[in-house]
Amino acid sequence: EPEVTQTPSHQVTQMGQEVILRCVPISNHLYFYWYRQILGQKVEFLVSFYNNEISEKSEIFDDQFSVERPDGSNFTLKIRSTKLEDSAMYFCASSGDYAGYTFGSGTRLTVV
Amino acid sequence: AQSVTQLDSQVPVFEEAPVELRCNYSSSVSVYLFWYVQYPNQGLQLLLKYLSGSTLVESINGFEAEFNKSQTSFHLRKPSVHISDTAEYFCAVRSMQGGGSEKLVFGKGTKLTVNP
């Protein structure tokens, strides 16, 4: 069964550093998303991406965040200057239509 | 905008007992409904979904959920749980409008713990 692949599975970074989280969506999917889950809290939408541009972003997705699809397969989330409160599990997801989303296994980001 | 309420943050049950995890939603437009499961230290897996048609949907591992439009609910049930069902369960909705890029809105999750 096709999978969404995320790397790395766990990243530790110092406050103020830039991080890039990587995702390989399912190859024939057209819509891509990033969500995050702070420990013990609900899964929150960050951004959706379609046709090489952002479709929608949440209020969490401020100027410190950016997304890119640098080639035909990867989808990245960049956090320019990490803060302690950015520590969370970040999930990438992709979908082909309205019928459902496939999530990756997540990247646990720890900012120290 | 949509919102999802999962009334129970934790549900402990004994093995082989029935369980119901409650989910209510609020939306000004029609929605699609989903249940996702998250096993410890793993990602989100789609358990089942309601898109249209029969209001009762089933998963391959014995869970079922019923869409009740008048009560705006999509409760998840299983008649007999196993230890391996211990996980966190998330209810989610998305608007039927807006095409494929519509986001999912999640509830806060219910931690199901199945005890021997």
Side-chain angles (χ1 to χ4, degrees), chain B residues 70-82:
Chain B
S70 62
Q71 297 186 3
T72 60
S73 67
F74 191 53
H75 301 331
L76 182 69
R77 293 187 287 261
K78 189 170 185 180
S80 176
V81 293
H82 303 287

Side-chain angles (χ1 to χ4, degrees), chain B residues 16-63:
Chain B
E16 297 183 7
V19 71
E20 179 179 79
L21 307 183
R22 295 179 291 171
C23 171
N24 289 89
Y25 70 92
S26 173
S27 177
S28 57
V29 299
S30 296
V31 295
Y32 301 118
L33 297 138
F34 306 84
W35 275 99
Y36 282 85
V37 58
Q38 185 179 32
Y39 296 103
N41 301 313
Q42 294 189 29
L44 296 164
Q45 299 176 32
L46 179 65
L47 188 60
L48 47 75
K49 60 189 176 188
Y50 173 76
L51 304 178
S52 65
S54 172
T55 56
L56 184 66
V57 290
E58 298 177 352
S59 72
I60 57 172
N61 57 356
F63 281 94

Side-chain angles (χ1 to χ4, degrees), chain A residues 35-54:
Chain A
Y35 290 78
R36 79 171 186 190
Q37 184 184 27
I38 294 172
L39 188 64
Q41 299 186 25
K42 70 176 177 180
V43 179
E44 300 173 292
F45 168 76
L46 291 178
V47 65
S48 59
F49 192 86
Y50 169 67
N51 201 24
N52 284 320
E53 59 183 27
I54 290 173

Side-chain angles (χ1 to χ4, degrees), chain A residues 23-41:
Chain A
C23 170
V24 178
I26 293 173
S27 60
N28 62 349
H29 282 181
L30 301 175
Y31 307 96
F32 314 112
Y33 313 83
W34 284 100
Y35 290 78
R36 79 171 186 190
Q37 184 184 27
I38 294 172
L39 188 64
Q41 299 186 25

